Amino acid sequence: MAGLLAAGGCGSGNAPASDRVSTTPETTTTTPLRSTSEFAALFPGGPYPGPRLTEIATEPPIRVRVRRGVDQVTVEAEGALRLRGDVGRAYRYAAPLTLRRDAGAWVIRDPAGRGVRWPVGTLRLTAEGGGPMTLGENTYPATLALTPRSGGTGGDGVETGTFDVVNHVPLETYLPGVIERELYGGWPLETFKAQAVAARSYALWERTIAPSRHYDLESTTASQVYGGKATDTRALRAVAETRGQALAFRGRVVPAFFSSSAGGRGQDATLAFPNRVEELAPLRAREHGSWDRQSPTYRWGPVERPTATLSRRIAGWGQRRSHPVAGLGTLARVEVAGRNRVGRPAVYRLTDTAGRTFRIDAESFRNACNHTADGTIPLEKPTRLLSSDVDIAVSGAAVRFTGGRGHGHGVGLSQWGAMAMARAGHGYTAILDFYYPGARLARLY
């Protein structure tokens, strides 16, 4: 989703006229400036509908992948750890434990260095007495599940010797660990409450996408940032005071996407996330006014990148994603091929020096520009593209990005905008009404 950059100045006072919040839901249109259906042929496939409100009567568990493809972990706890395999009884070991995967079995070593092999699949760890467990710099509540990864060709299921670590945790326990990582501690409580509802709604939607998968969400900006057990009192209070509340539209939970800053104009969810989400009125692009102008990335640039290296990054991203842009040679021109109804780029057209053209949605273009392909050096923060709402000029050996707006995909809530609205006296329900027009607040449990 989005993490924040550096803290910017904070202000308050009366909102400018263009930023005043209406209590009347925005009138939406099925014919935006450039219709979403215009791009449908580019993005074949089916979207993921949100879960029905009637399907969620109690607090659900969430599975968050907190380590991906690791070959060893050390898990600490205040007391002993209890380990359980796919079947059979649980075993008690003194902490800390070091665990690795070898030839279809877990190799477990206790503090004295004594080792045991356990030939089971997924291994589940809990702290005796229900306390948290520490993994590296993070502390996690509830359960850690270690699941072996498979590789090989042709789907033969050969183990790679690596595994994922997934935190199984109740939703309301998970959320404070998101809120305190996504927002600055000094921001108003109403911003935290708006973020809590958005994060809860998003998590409920994500857990329906691939129920057969061994996790629901990532702990990074690929989903929403999660740092484990929370200590921030404002985050804990915001989650407690909005317990069970989610955004709903036509009887389903809305995937309440959010980003750091939209730079004044938002993006349609169906254009930012092709094939992932249905066409929903609350997730259509809209003018944000200047609510997020205090963001340090409200405007950014210039950023200059070598043409040859950038071209390889884009093609490498295309190869990884099986996208036609994998055939891109050296960039010669980048043009906006379609805009959403508020003027934000939705699709780019890339032309290389051989005259070949490729169409790519704007958010994928940003990800491709930031991709670390084979033979390319990972990008430093100042040279990454912060959003796809930017002016682009190719000039020989360099590509210049200017007039950048915002940080992130621009769908739904702007975190900096929510902060400014709260400082101007708006409550979390008004903030949610502004960023997700037409959605209603529903208490699920």
Side-chain angles (χ1 to χ4, degrees), residues 142-179:
T143 300
L144 292 177
L146 281 55
T147 300
R149 292 172 64 89
S150 298
T153 58
D156 54 18
V158 176
E159 276 200 29
T160 63
T162 62
F163 55 93
D164 292 341
V165 182
V166 180
N167 188 196
H168 291 223
V169 58
L171 176 58
E172 301 296 325
T173 304
Y174 157 75
L175 288 171
V178 172
I179 311 306

Side-chain angles (χ1 to χ4, degrees), residues 21-26 194 197 247-248 281-282 286 413 421 426-441:
V21 178
S22 170
T23 56
T24 304
E26 178 184 306
V197 174
L247 290 169
R286 62 166 298 163
L413 179 141
M421 290 183 70
H426 298 294
Y428 79 100
T429 57
I431 294 170
L432 294 170
D433 283 345
F434 180 78
Y435 285 109
Y436 306 99
R440 68 179 182 88
L441 198 59

Side-chain angles (χ1 to χ4, degrees), residues 63-369:
R63 303 170 301 168
V64 191
R65 183 159 66 175
V66 297
R67 296 289 189 278
R68 176 178 179 176
V70 295
D71 55 17
Q72 179 174 294
V73 294
T74 298
V75 181
E76 301 180 65
E78 286 293 329
L81 290 165
R82 294 180 65 82
L83 278 63
R84 183 183 296 276
D86 297 312
V87 295
R89 57 169 290 189
Y91 293 88
R92 181 181 182 275
Y93 292 88
L97 287 182
T98 299
L99 304 100
R100 64 182 177 87
R101 190 75 178 167
D102 177 64
W106 293 101
V107 178
I108 305 166
R109 295 197 177 277
D110 67 11
R114 294 183 294 264
V116 62
R117 290 178 63 87
W118 197 356
V120 295
T122 295
L123 195 61
R124 289 173 172 79
L125 286 71
T126 55
E128 201 165 59
M133 293 163 285
T134 300
L135 186 61
E137 297 180 353
N138 301 95
T139 299
Y140 298 102
T143 300
L144 292 177
L146 281 55
T147 300
R149 292 172 64 89
S150 298
T153 58
D156 54 18
V158 176
E159 276 200 29
T160 63
T162 62
F163 55 93
D164 292 341
V165 182
V166 180
N167 188 196
H168 291 223
V169 58
L171 176 58
E172 301 296 325
T173 304
Y174 157 75
L175 288 171
V178 172
I179 311 306
E180 74 172 7
R181 290 301 180 100
E182 287 284 358
L183 300 179
Y184 291 113
W187 282 7
L189 177 62
E190 295 303 304
T191 308
F192 277 73
K193 291 166 75 171
Q195 179 70 79
V197 174
R200 183 182 293 108
S201 303
Y202 176 79
L204 288 169
W205 176 77
E206 276 277 10
R207 73 189 292 270
T208 68
I209 289 178
S212 61
R213 194 171 59 184
H214 63 278
Y215 65 95
D216 301 315
L217 301 102
E218 301 283 7
S219 61
T220 67
T221 55
S223 295
Q224 47 193 10
V225 180
Y226 170 62
K229 183 177 174 60
T231 59
D232 184 274
T233 55
R234 201 164 300 194
L236 292 164
R237 180 180 170 187
V239 172
E241 292 186 7
T242 64
R243 178 179 173 82
Q245 295 180 20
L247 290 169
F249 185 73
R250 294 179 179 171
R252 291 183 179 271
V253 174
V254 173
F257 299 100
F258 56 89
S259 62
S260 175
S261 165
R265 57 187 183 185
Q267 183 62 284
D268 294 270
T270 51
L271 300 178
F273 309 108
N275 302 334
R276 294 194 67 208
V277 63
E278 293 181 302
E279 167 70 22
L280 298 175
L283 297 180
R284 289 180 185 153
R286 62 166 298 163
E287 292 282 359
H288 288 201
S290 56
W291 278 116
D292 54 1
R293 66 190 178 278
Q294 295 176 28
S295 165
T297 54
Y298 181 66
R299 295 288 182 269
W300 55 269
V303 171
E304 194 166 286
R305 304 270 290 276
T307 304
T309 306
L310 179 63
S311 301
R312 287 200 300 272
R313 288 186 191 278
I314 296 170
W317 178 91
Q319 291 166 6
R320 179 72 62 86
R321 297 303 183 96
S322 299
H323 189 285
V325 81
L328 179 74
T330 301
L331 269 175
R333 189 166 61 256
V334 179
E335 303 163 295
V336 176
R339 296 182 183 272
N340 68 19
R341 64 177 182 165
V342 296
R344 185 176 175 129
V347 177
Y348 283 105
R349 180 170 54 249
L350 282 52
T351 305
D352 65 16
T353 53
R356 293 170 295 204
T357 62
F358 305 87
R359 289 166 68 88
I360 181 171
D361 69 271
E363 193 60 19
S364 291
F365 175 72
R366 176 171 77 106
N367 293 332
C369 289

